[in-house]
Amino acid sequence: MKSDELTVNGVRIGGAETEGKEDTQTIDLPSGSRAEVRKGHGRDLMRAQRAAVGGDASAVIFALIAELTRVDGRRIVYEEVLEMDLADVMALQDEVIGENFDRPPQRASQASFNPDSQSRS
C-alpha cells in the first residue's frame, strides 16, 4: 500500500507524492516571503478543526491557513501562523477564505420586502 493511500478515521495521511499537483495560488506576502496556497478539501477543514482546540472559529481559520499553505517552499504549522506578521496573516486569510478560489453561488433571498404592503395607521 502506498503512503498516500493510508487513512486514519477516513482522513488521508501521507501523500507527499501528490503535493504540488493540486490547484494552487502563489502570492507574495508583505514581508517578502512567497506563499503557495492550495485549494482545500473537506479533510483539510477536518484537520484544522482538530488542531484548533476548543473550536474557536478564528483558531480554525489559522489552522486551515497552516494546512493549506507553504511559505518559501516549506510547510508551516499552526503555531507559526500565530507568530507571523499580521499583514502576512491577513493576506493568507484573504487567500484561504477570500475571493481567489471557487465559491458556491450564494442563494438569493426568498423573502422580499415590499414597503407598500405595510399597513399604515
Side-chain angles (χ1 to χ4, degrees), residues 50-71:
R50 287 179 182 157
V53 178
D56 177 26
S58 57
V60 171
I61 296 299
F62 278 45
L64 191 57
I65 289 170
E67 190 67 35
L68 300 176
T69 304
R70 296 174 76 85
V71 176

Side-chain angles (χ1 to χ4, degrees), residues 17 24 27 82 92:
E17 302 85 7
T24 60
I27 60 169
L82 296 175
L92 290 171

Side-chain angles (χ1 to χ4, degrees), residues 60-111:
V60 171
I61 296 299
F62 278 45
L64 191 57
I65 289 170
E67 190 67 35
L68 300 176
T69 304
R70 296 174 76 85
V71 176
D72 293 332
R74 68 174 188 82
R75 294 190 68 162
I76 60 173
V77 295
Y78 174 78
E79 292 78 12
E80 288 177 282
V81 178
L82 296 175
E83 296 301 320
M84 285 180 152
D85 290 342
L86 180 59
D88 285 357
V89 174
M90 297 297 287
L92 290 171
Q93 179 175 321
D94 186 51
E95 191 69 25
V96 168
I97 61 173
E99 300 175 3
N100 292 313
F101 289 109
D102 296 335
R103 288 184 177 191
Q106 292 192 0
R107 294 179 47 195
S109 174
Q110 298 296 323

Side-chain angles (χ1 to χ4, degrees), residues 11 14 22 35 70:
V11 177
E22 301 178 55
R70 296 174 76 85

